[in-house]
Amino acid sequence: MSRPDRTAPPRRVASVLWVALGIVLVVDALVVLRVTTLHTGIVVAFALGLLYLAHGVSRRRVRWLRILVPAGTALLVALSAALAVVGSRDTATGDEDAVVVLGTLVKDGEPTPALRARLDTAAGYAAANPAAVVVVAGGRAPGEDVTEALAMQRYLVARGVAEHRIVREGTSTSTSENFTHAKELLDARLGTRYTAAFVTNEYHVVRAAGIAAEAGVDATHLHARTPWYEVPVDYVREALALGKFVLLRR
């Protein structure tokens, strides 16, 4: 008489969980694609979702995948949690001389949801600190109709930030260039003795602070909350970008 396979129920539960996680990532990638433009995070999240689906439905899993997939997922979750916690702890004092709003994607000439969150935070800061210069930083990515900086300026002006307070930096194509070029503009306007804060989504704060230091910008920070439906895609993307920064310092 054969013994019952007691590992079958746990395996079935695990398979269901992997399939569910895969569906979430695939659907989320498609949803984010509708509200923004195609970027690395969408591609990687979609591919990761397909991997989870395949891992969940496969009856004969490759041994190294049985170890690597759970371990890699646990690492990604832990890293995302750390980024969320640290990034949500604002250090801005509220009386800085300038605030730099870091750009991200626009679509059809309008800020995407994550960028709107940054701009709403910046508008609140600007209202509370009316003496601060507001730098909007972001160039024109492939497929964008206008520079991120111009879309950001229009959004802030429509929400009551005086146009004369806004300095537009519309040439950068990365966070590093955001800070480097913003610093040049602020140095020209305020001299070399000023304080600054930057605004970005919470997942991006840790890397942005490191890049700011590399660029010679001593800045505090404010976070904007990432739209809930963008969380999986944005954190997957940030995990890759953070790894690149650690290795290449850019």
Side-chain angles (χ1 to χ4, degrees), residues 47-68:
L48 189 58
L50 293 180
L51 173 63
Y52 287 151
L53 284 171
H55 189 66
V57 301
S58 176
R59 294 186 177 181
R60 298 185 66 180
R61 297 172 185 167
V62 179
R63 183 174 181 179
W64 63 270
L65 281 178
R66 293 204 306 265
I67 299 172
L68 183 61

Side-chain angles (χ1 to χ4, degrees), residues 38-157:
L38 184 65
H39 58 74
T40 305
I42 293 174
V43 174
V44 174
F46 187 84
L48 189 58
L50 293 180
L51 173 63
Y52 287 151
L53 284 171
H55 189 66
V57 301
S58 176
R59 294 186 177 181
R60 298 185 66 180
R61 297 172 185 167
V62 179
R63 183 174 181 179
W64 63 270
L65 281 178
R66 293 204 306 265
I67 299 172
L68 183 61
V69 172
T73 301
L75 179 61
L76 178 59
V77 170
L79 176 60
S80 297
L83 291 175
V85 170
V86 176
S88 297
R89 295 175 178 172
D90 295 336
T91 60
T93 61
D95 59 0
E96 286 84 0
D97 299 310
V99 58
V100 179
V101 192
L102 301 178
T104 188
L105 299 171
V106 301
K107 185 172 185 178
D108 299 327
E110 298 293 331
T112 50
L115 183 53
R116 288 201 299 271
R118 298 181 189 188
L119 292 167
D120 288 339
T121 297
Y125 180 90
N129 183 8
V133 175
V134 182
V135 180
V136 289
R140 182 176 176 178
E144 292 180 343
D145 300 324
V146 299
T147 64
E148 295 165 5
L150 178 57
M152 294 160 75
Q153 181 188 42
R154 290 171 176 171
Y155 187 94
L156 289 175
V157 170

Side-chain angles (χ1 to χ4, degrees), residues 13-53:
V13 171
S15 294
V16 170
L17 291 176
W18 288 121
V19 169
L21 184 56
I23 291 173
V24 167
L25 283 177
V26 168
V27 171
D28 188 63
L30 295 175
V31 169
V32 174
L33 181 60
R34 289 186 62 85
V35 300
T36 184
T37 57
L38 184 65
H39 58 74
T40 305
I42 293 174
V43 174
V44 174
F46 187 84
L48 189 58
L50 293 180
L51 173 63
Y52 287 151
L53 284 171

